[in-house]
Amino acid sequence: MSSRLLPHPLLTPALAGVWLLLNNSLHPGHIILGILLGWLIPLFTLRFWPETVTIHRPLLLLRFTLVVLHDIVLANLVVARRILGRPEKLRPTLVEVPLDLRGDLAISLLANTICLTPGTVSARLSGDRRTLLVHALDAADAAVVRAQIKARYEAPLKEVFEPC
Amino acid sequence: MLNLVLPIAFALVAAAFALSFWRLLRGPSAPDRILALDTLYINTIALLVLLGIQLGTALYFEAALLIALMGFVGTVALCKYLLRGDIIE
Amino acid sequence: MLDTLLAFLVLAGAIFTFIGSLGLARLRDFYTRLHGPTKATTLGVGSLLIASSVYFSHQGDGLSLHEILVTLFLFITAPVSAHLLAKAALHLNLPRLGKGADQEAGTSATGPDIATERPDR
């Protein structure tokens, strides 16, 4: 029953939060309107959200978010140093990363994370969704990049979204 | 201190604009130019935020938000055009 | 104290924005150029927005948090545009420096394409 009235329990608070941020106020009227919008929009756009998302380990997701934020700051410093250094010394490499993740959201989150973290940009998902092509700005060894992506970003995402 | 730093920040962002424009004109390929446009809109957001701090008004924030939205949609549409030769299939 | 923090954030943001564009102008092939704007600029604009949030919260009128929205939006969209640009460049077979993956990069570019065509629809 709750799934009919509230098809996406996570979308409702997220939309309400965005509404409050957009209005930049915590007025009770805005809170009520935000919750109303957060409830109505998922109901009317049900057909566009084929996948229901369940978060199995919220604390791990929080820890993953903190790790990613830390890595974003680190990534910026690393990339800034590479840009200011001599361009001839860069060793750009294309790396293929085999994926264990299956869900749409999990794969998109992984690809986004890869783009935001040190020296890597995800370039293409293969047709069978089994490998992700990643471009590394400065990598001596492709295996190191692959192992780091798998251990640091893919493993927590897999536990959060698709434990088995 | 902030008053001292703001002109330097404006100068740096203006230099960033100049560099992106140079890449936009130079090319050499279409994705290079799209990337330059993408960088230009992000630089515009930075400039608007700085202007908001300088003038002490929050009015520019809405413009920054809209540019962020439109710039992203523009980049995606141009990339889709390169990938597919068509935007709306 | 607050003034120093603001000055630091504004300066750091402007420097990172500049370095991002410098990377765009300076590096030698498209794929390495892609790294500058997507990363350096994200943190640059991010810290400028945090500075703006601190500044307007300090000005009065209560807490000003809507800058977070732009930051969040940029953090979500910047990787997506970078991914699409990299895919477009691979599709067009742009010249690339450095080592490649095991297969030739451009060969499967014409195959079924997941991000734009979902098999289950």
Side-chain angles (χ1 to χ4, degrees):
Chain A
M1 178 224 131
S2 87
S3 69
R4 176 102 62 81
L5 272 180
L6 204 67
H8 294 280
L10 291 174
L11 202 56
T12 303
L15 282 173
V18 167
W19 177 258
L20 288 179
L21 280 177
L22 262 178
N23 281 296
N24 209 9
S25 90
L26 273 176
H27 194 272
H30 279 308
I31 296 180
I32 293 173
L33 194 53
I35 292 173
L36 199 67
L37 283 172
W39 174 59
L40 284 177
I41 291 175
L43 272 187
F44 283 105
T45 55
L46 201 54
R47 290 177 54 208
F48 299 107
W49 307 87
E51 205 185 4
T52 45
V53 177
T54 41
I55 292 176
H56 297 277
R57 297 183 54 188
L59 277 180
L60 189 67
L61 185 65
L62 192 67
R63 196 171 146 256
F64 176 72
T65 315
L66 290 180
V67 167
V68 169
L69 280 178
H70 166 257
D71 283 2
I72 288 173
V73 176
L74 198 74
N76 282 284
L77 295 174
V78 169
V79 171
R81 208 175 57 223
R82 297 265 191 281
I83 289 173
L84 293 175
R86 291 171 63 82
E88 297 80 22
K89 282 199 175 162
L90 293 177
R91 291 159 295 180
T93 316
L94 270 181
V95 184
E96 278 187 324
V97 181
L99 289 178
D100 291 327
L101 296 169
R102 286 293 162 264
D104 281 354
L105 182 78
I107 292 180
S108 344
L109 272 180
L110 180 69
N112 273 19
T113 313
I114 287 172
C115 278
L116 284 174
T117 47
T120 45
V121 166
S122 68
R124 194 176 56 222
L125 190 61
S126 71
D128 58 357
R129 336 177 106 204
R130 292 294 163 109
T131 47
L132 189 66
L133 200 62
V134 172
H135 185 267
L137 179 59
D138 186 33
D141 190 1
V144 176
V145 177
R146 197 176 296 135
Q148 200 204 356
I149 288 173
K150 286 199 81 71
R152 199 171 170 86
Y153 308 121
E154 194 184 4
L157 277 176
K158 187 163 177 61
E159 277 201 43
V160 169
F161 291 104
E162 356 182 304
C164 44
Chain B
M1 186 107 168
L2 187 63
N3 292 332
L4 198 76
V5 162
L6 270 175
I8 305 174
F10 273 113
L12 281 171
V13 175
F17 264 96
L19 289 169
S20 311
F21 262 121
W22 184 75
R23 179 55 71 195
L24 182 66
L25 294 176
R26 173 95 194 283
S29 64
D32 275 306
R33 291 176 212 267
I34 299 175
L35 183 62
L37 276 177
D38 193 67
T39 318
L40 274 174
Y41 92 74
I42 296 179
N43 286 346
T44 313
I45 298 171
L47 195 65
L48 280 176
V49 172
L50 277 176
L51 206 61
I53 296 177
Q54 163 96 12
L55 300 178
T57 160
L59 266 181
Y60 290 99
F61 170 79
E62 262 78 22
L65 190 64
L66 281 179
I67 288 175
L69 283 164
M70 295 302 161
F72 171 65
V73 174
T75 308
V76 169
L78 286 169
C79 285
K80 283 277 283 182
Y81 179 72
L82 284 187
L83 278 168
R84 296 271 148 169
D86 212 346
I87 295 173
I88 299 165
E89 290 166 30
Chain C
M1 180 57 209
L2 191 77
D3 198 44
T4 319
L5 175 73
L6 272 176
F8 173 75
L9 281 173
V10 166
L11 197 62
I15 288 176
F16 273 114
T17 313
F18 173 71
I19 289 179
S21 298
L22 186 68
L24 177 71
R26 185 159 183 246
L27 296 178
R28 293 184 308 161
D29 76 328
F30 174 76
Y31 302 93
T32 50
R33 266 176 227 145
L34 192 55
H35 288 269
T38 50
K39 297 213 184 58
T41 317
T42 321
L43 189 70
V45 176
S47 63
L48 278 179
L49 284 164
I50 294 170
S52 161
S53 179
V54 172
Y55 180 78
F56 284 111
S57 300
H58 183 62
Q59 285 291 94
D61 314 345
L63 217 54
S64 170
L65 283 180
H66 59 182
E67 280 86 357
I68 291 179
L69 214 56
V70 178
T71 319
L72 204 67
F73 190 77
L74 276 182
F75 273 37
I76 295 171
T77 57
V80 178
S81 8
H83 178 90
L84 273 171
L85 276 166
K87 208 161 89 169
L90 283 174
H91 181 72
L92 296 176
N93 265 325
L94 288 192
R96 178 165 54 81
L97 298 170
K99 289 178 284 183
D102 312 302
Q103 68 186 62
E104 172 59 32
T107 45
S108 56
T110 46
D113 203 334
I114 282 312
T116 46
E117 257 176 21
R118 297 178 40 136
D120 50 343
R121 291 236 171 119

